[in-house]
Amino acid sequence: MNFLSLFVLIPLLMLLGLWLSRNISQIRAVMVTGASALLVLSVALTVMYLQARQGGATDEMLFCADVAWYPALNIHYSVGVDGISVAMLLLSSLIVFTGTFASWRLQPLTKEYFLWFTFLSLGVFGFFISIDLFTMFMFYEVALIPMYLLIGVWGSGHKEYSAMKLTLMLMGGSAFLLIGILGIYFGSGATTMNLLEIADLHNIPIEQQRIWFPLTFIGFGVLGALFPFHTWSPDGHASAPTAVSMLHAGVLMKLGGYGCFRIAMYLMPEAANELAWIFIILTGISVVYGAFSACVQTDLKYINAYSSVSHCGLVLFAILMMNQTASTGAVLQMLSHGLMTALFFALIGMIYGRTHTRDIRELNGLMKIMPFLSVCYVIAGLANLGLPGLSGFVAEMTIFTGSFQQADTFHRVWTVIACSSIVITAVYILRLVGKILYGTCTNKHHLALTDATWDERTAVIVLIACVAALGLAPWWISNMIGDSVLPIINHLAAVQ
């Protein structure tokens, strides 16, 4: 069995273990064991990948395997990874690990909750290791379907409305995506759905690319919170339970940016060059609109959800610049945003669990009551606004530097517009921190609240350590990503 298939096998074994579990301690044991195994596996894969590259491996994808799955339609179980995939797998395993601890005391229906949580994780890991278009689409759907139940059953607020809105919009994006994938397959005249082989053929007529590129980009872009298809995101995040918000914003939304780059742009480079300006405008609006919208929210989760719209907009904005620096920044932004938004949602869930409110008008003076959670919230906020030394700064500066490399007026004007989001982000983050953490606590019931428990501290400390590590030592992962985006950028540049 191929080494990469363990990323699918371990979640399957976790599902079996959860199904056989009879009490809460067995459920927790299965989740911690499985999540730890996935984290160790992703770290081992990262080390093996870097060693293989240093040893002279030059293939675009490493650790490849291919098994015919449905020969009648040339569907194969094809797996392989490059630096982008390895980085995404590492992020996914970190969020699953910390999300397990963030859900440690979840009630009711704990077993059923973790079954769907693990099923969602299975789809995410399968998507990032797949290099067959149909297999990627299948795992993509597996990752989306559990969201309806996770929000609709275990969520809060208008959970049924939010779950249905999210599901309908993402399924609509999936319909576009399926049409685009079938168009790519039949338009290329390929005898395989392997995306590397389709890219090598490079024979999809430009007339067809003009149809399939927008469908595929929008299909993935819906999950990446592309304006104006972003409206499911704030409602979905606000109603989701803590760990689901962490996994959804931290990992699931990254499937959108990854798919746009790996499939839409890589396989249809002529259309990407011709139509990129339309999506640059839309993503530029996402960046600024998301930041401004966060300024006027009063719900902690809505603030972070609109902040995610802004930061995920930067990912799509950067890959449309079609140069190595900006594309490397896009992947770094996926990692940075995944870590810091998971940290934010974890902390918001912990604060809400104690105060039973997310309304910032009802929260103040929390620094004296729960100092550990408050200090961690400040760190998360500073990462979000791009403080040097934390992950946000590295990612955003790489994106803006790469975007400004485009010498024409159009690209530079939109880069300046996107840069303005830094100022807006600083406004709402600093105002939020000052409002809820400092000053005098006016609610006497909050004075008796406790600080973080050991399981909550575990999740938060791991995420903060990763945010700081990416900010202080970005060179190794930046080099790994930069080498992997180069083949795609060269493919795009060859048709300019």
Side-chain angles (χ1 to χ4, degrees):
M1 184 185 68
N2 181 266
F3 173 71
L4 294 178
S5 297
L6 289 172
F7 282 103
V8 174
L9 181 62
I10 291 174
L12 288 173
L13 292 174
M14 289 169 68
L15 288 171
L16 178 61
L18 288 167
W19 182 55
L20 295 173
S21 297
R22 291 293 173 262
N23 55 54
I24 189 72
S25 59
Q26 290 178 359
I27 293 168
R28 288 171 175 171
V30 170
M31 286 304 300
V32 170
T33 304
S36 301
L38 286 167
L39 184 56
V40 170
L41 182 63
S42 62
V43 172
L45 174 64
T46 306
V47 173
M48 290 169 59
Y49 179 84
L50 291 170
Q51 287 178 341
R53 288 298 190 205
Q54 290 169 0
T58 56
D59 293 344
E60 190 171 338
M61 293 280 181
L62 301 184
F63 312 120
C64 293
D66 185 277
V67 179
W69 195 358
Y70 188 62
L73 290 177
N74 296 316
I75 296 170
H76 288 229
Y77 173 74
S78 298
V79 296
V81 291
D82 62 0
I84 307 169
S85 313
V86 170
M88 291 296 103
L89 289 167
L90 191 58
L91 171 67
S92 304
S93 60
L94 279 165
I95 304 301
V96 170
F97 180 79
T98 53
T100 299
F101 286 99
S103 308
W104 198 253
R105 301 168 198 274
L106 182 131
Q107 296 286 350
L109 302 172
T110 308
K111 178 177 176 176
E112 290 79 1
Y113 168 84
F114 278 121
L115 277 166
W116 286 112
F117 183 82
T118 305
F119 194 58
L120 193 160
S121 307
L122 168 68
V124 168
F125 285 114
F127 180 85
F128 285 132
I129 63 171
S130 297
I131 53 176
D132 179 274
L133 289 177
F134 191 87
T135 310
M136 287 181 83
F137 180 76
M138 183 199 72
F139 280 118
Y140 181 84
E141 293 300 299
V142 168
L144 295 187
I145 291 166
M147 288 301 300
Y148 177 80
L149 288 169
L150 286 167
I151 295 174
V153 176
W154 290 276
S156 58
H158 302 294
K159 57 185 182 181
E160 290 87 0
Y161 164 79
S162 299
M164 184 57 72
K165 183 177 183 180
L166 177 147
T167 303
L168 288 175
M169 292 199 70
L170 294 185
M171 287 298 118
S174 295
F176 281 177
L177 189 53
L178 181 59
I179 296 168
I181 286 174
L182 292 174
I184 290 168
Y185 172 65
F186 288 107
S188 67
T191 56
T192 174
M193 286 200 179
N194 186 297
L195 65 89
L196 299 177
E197 295 180 28
I198 292 174
D200 287 340
L201 284 173
H202 189 209
N203 61 351
I204 304 174
I206 182 62
E207 295 79 13
Q208 290 192 34
Q209 287 190 36
R210 291 188 185 117
I211 301 170
W212 312 132
F213 176 79
L215 286 174
T216 310
F217 199 96
I218 291 171
F220 279 119
V222 171
L223 187 54
L226 173 68
F227 182 88
F229 309 104
H230 66 284
T231 55
W232 59 270
S233 178
D235 291 322
H237 287 318
S239 298
T242 300
V244 175
S245 290
M246 290 170 66
L247 194 60
H248 191 191
V251 180
L252 203 61
M253 291 177 77
K254 308 302 172 284
L255 270 59
Y258 182 92
C260 286
F261 192 48
R262 177 79 79 199
I263 295 177
M265 300 189 69
Y266 186 35
L267 301 185
M268 294 173 284
E270 287 90 355
N273 278 282
E274 193 174 296
L275 302 175
W277 66 273
I278 299 171
F279 293 103
I280 286 173
I281 293 172
L282 292 178
T283 53
I285 294 171
S286 288
V287 173
V288 179
Y289 167 81
F292 270 120
S293 298
C295 285
V296 297
Q297 302 301 316
T298 57
D299 184 302
L300 285 172
K301 272 200 168 184
Y302 271 102
I303 292 170
N304 200 33
Y306 277 108
S307 176
S308 291
V309 171
S310 178
H311 285 95
C312 287
L314 274 177
V315 172
L316 298 177
F317 183 80
I319 64 173
L320 289 161
M321 291 297 163
M322 291 183 277
N323 62 53
Q324 186 182 12
T325 306
S327 298
T328 302
V331 183
L332 286 171
Q333 176 71 354
M334 287 192 222
L335 290 172
S336 171
H337 175 259
L339 293 169
M340 66 191 184
T341 202
L343 176 60
F344 253 131
F345 276 123
L347 292 166
I348 290 167
M350 293 166 196
I351 292 170
Y352 176 70
R354 289 163 171 78
T355 62
H356 304 294
T357 180
R358 296 195 304 257
D359 192 328
I360 61 174
R361 294 167 297 188
E362 299 174 14
L363 295 169
N364 43 32
L366 295 183
M367 184 65 81
K368 292 179 181 177
I369 301 163
M370 44 185 88
F372 178 84
L373 290 177
S374 298
V375 169
C376 293
Y377 198 92
V378 172
I379 294 170
L382 294 175
N384 209 335
L385 61 80
L387 183 77
L390 298 173
S391 60
F393 177 79
V394 173
E396 290 180 10
M397 286 305 100
T398 310
I399 286 174
F400 294 135
T401 302
S403 300
F404 215 74
Q405 285 179 9
Q406 300 285 9
D408 61 289
T409 305
F410 174 79
H411 286 87
R412 289 196 167 178
V413 166
W414 276 100
T415 301
V416 171
I417 292 171
C419 278
S420 67
S421 67
I422 299 173
V423 181
I424 308 164
T425 303
V427 170
Y428 68 76
I429 291 293
L430 294 175
R431 188 182 66 176
L432 177 64
V433 167
K435 173 70 182 70
I436 69 171
L437 301 183
Y438 297 100
T440 304
C441 180
T442 54
N443 189 325
K444 63 183 182 197
H445 299 295
H446 291 175
L447 294 171
L449 298 177
T450 57
D451 210 350
T453 56
W454 72 268
D455 44 289
E456 293 171 334
R457 289 173 189 257
T458 301
V460 168
I461 289 170
V462 169
L463 288 170
I464 288 178
C466 293
V467 167
L470 184 57
L472 294 171
W475 55 85
W476 66 274
I477 200 158
S478 177
N479 292 339
M480 180 178 81
I481 294 165
D483 292 341
S484 295
V485 302
L486 199 55
I488 301 176
I489 297 304
N490 289 339
H491 199 64
L492 289 160
V495 298
Q496 285 181 345

